[in-house]
Amino acid sequence: MPKTNPENTAHMEIERKFVPKWLPNNLEQYPYHEIEQGYLCTSPTIRIRKMDDTYFLTYKSAGMLAHLEQEMPLSKEAYEHLRKKRTVF
C-alpha cells in the first residue's frame, strides 16, 4: 500500500509478500481500498496507481528485494492520460 509522501522524497522499500492462510467469513465489513495500477516502464519501474480517489506516479530504482522508491501525486487528468500509455494492468 503506498504511503503518501508530500515531500516527494525517495525512501528505501523492501519487497515483501504475504499469503493469508484463510479469509474471514465477513470480509465485506472490513475497510478496504479500490486499487487500479499499471506500468509505463519496467526497467526502471515506473508505475501509475489509483487508490480510491487518489492518484500516484511511482519510480522504483533497480533491485529485487530492496530499492529506492519515489512517489509523486498525480491529478486525475494526468492519471487518465498516462493510463492510455500503460503496458500492464
Side-chain angles (χ1 to χ4, degrees), residues 1-9 11 51 54-56 71-73:
M1 198 64 55
K3 297 178 182 93
T4 55
N5 188 353
E7 295 84 29
N8 295 330
T9 57
H11 65 272
M51 186 170 64
T54 306
Y55 305 88
F56 304 94
E71 189 172 83
M72 295 151 279

Side-chain angles (χ1 to χ4, degrees), residues 2 4 6 8 23 48 51 54 60 64 72 80-81 84:
T4 55
N8 295 330
L23 295 175
I48 57 171
M51 186 170 64
T54 306
K60 296 183 178 189
M64 293 298 290
M72 295 151 279
E80 293 297 331
H81 174 77
K84 297 172 191 170

Side-chain angles (χ1 to χ4, degrees), residues 17-72:
K17 295 181 178 161
F18 301 93
V19 178
K21 294 183 181 183
W22 54 272
L23 295 175
N25 292 330
N26 53 354
L27 189 59
E28 63 281 347
Q29 80 174 17
Y30 292 93
Y32 65 93
H33 293 283
E34 291 188 21
I35 297 174
E36 175 183 281
Q37 67 181 23
Y39 293 83
L40 302 176
C41 183
T42 56
S43 184
T45 301
I46 301 174
R47 178 185 69 212
I48 57 171
R49 177 180 281 168
K50 173 186 175 195
M51 186 170 64
D52 301 322
D53 294 324
T54 306
Y55 305 88
F56 304 94
L57 181 134
T58 303
Y59 166 83
K60 296 183 178 189
S61 68
M64 293 298 290
L65 293 177
H67 51 263
L68 287 175
E69 181 175 294
Q70 185 165 3
E71 189 172 83
M72 295 151 279

